[in-house]
Amino acid sequence: MGDISAEPSMEEILSSIKRIIAEEGDAAVGARARRSRAAPAPVEEAEAPEDEGTHEVLELSQAVADERAKPAAPKPRTAPEPILSQQAVEATRQPLEALSRIVVKPEVPGSDTLEGLVRELLKPMLRDWLDANLPQIVEAMVAREISRITGGR
């Protein structure tokens, strides 16, 4: 079996995937920029010759403003128009609530099945049998246990 500690954690895997996606996204933006720059581009201020004494450092954490690379903002989705009008909803609500009140829910869970029905029918018979026989059964078992503990005296 392999060592579990050698396997990367979920956070490491996710950060690796995010890094790859970001790199691929940057490469795609760069490719688009190279294709669009087939014609000579005007010299920008950053590309202009500088004095020998001053050098500007390019920070890679800064966002590049390329309007063509930005995707269009998604249009906000509007909720689809409901099939029923509000009047139809209100008109049908009361009869459906009345129907749900008429439906009798079983008092005991499971009594709406065949097994539940049989249990409900057997309960009175089982109660009568236990009332008649349980005291003698318990008395006999207790007497047997007492004689076993005392060694049959």
Side-chain angles (χ1 to χ4, degrees):
M1 294 279 162
D3 185 18
I4 294 177
S5 63
E7 295 180 11
S9 69
M10 184 63 73
E11 290 82 18
E12 292 170 337
I13 293 170
L14 289 174
S15 66
S16 173
I17 291 171
K18 288 178 183 177
R19 185 175 58 251
I20 291 169
I21 291 172
E23 289 171 358
E24 288 177 357
D26 291 342
V29 169
R32 277 191 230 130
R34 283 190 294 273
R35 277 187 260 133
S36 67
R37 290 183 187 165
V43 176
E44 295 179 8
E45 188 175 315
E47 295 176 355
E50 299 177 359
D51 294 339
E52 290 181 28
T54 61
H55 295 283
E56 187 174 331
V57 177
L58 175 63
E59 292 290 328
L60 297 179
S61 62
Q62 297 173 349
V64 177
D66 186 4
E67 294 299 321
R68 292 168 288 180
K70 290 183 182 178
K75 295 180 182 178
R77 292 186 180 189
T78 58
E81 191 172 325
I83 294 174
L84 294 176
S85 67
Q86 190 63 28
Q87 293 84 11
V89 170
E90 292 299 323
T92 56
R93 179 171 287 143
Q94 280 187 327
L96 289 174
E97 286 176 357
L99 177 63
S100 69
R101 277 184 255 128
I102 292 173
V103 175
V104 178
K105 294 184 180 178
E107 294 177 11
V108 179
S111 65
D112 55 341
T113 63
L114 181 60
E115 181 181 351
L117 180 63
V118 170
R119 279 187 194 189
E120 291 300 312
L121 293 174
L122 285 176
K123 274 185 181 180
M125 289 187 276
L126 183 58
R127 185 178 306 118
D128 292 341
W129 186 88
L130 287 172
D131 287 345
N133 297 311
L134 187 61
Q136 292 87 7
I137 293 172
V138 170
E139 189 176 316
M141 290 180 79
V142 169
R144 197 174 334 145
E145 187 65 22
I146 290 174
S147 68
R148 186 187 67 80
I149 292 173
T150 59
R153 293 186 223 162

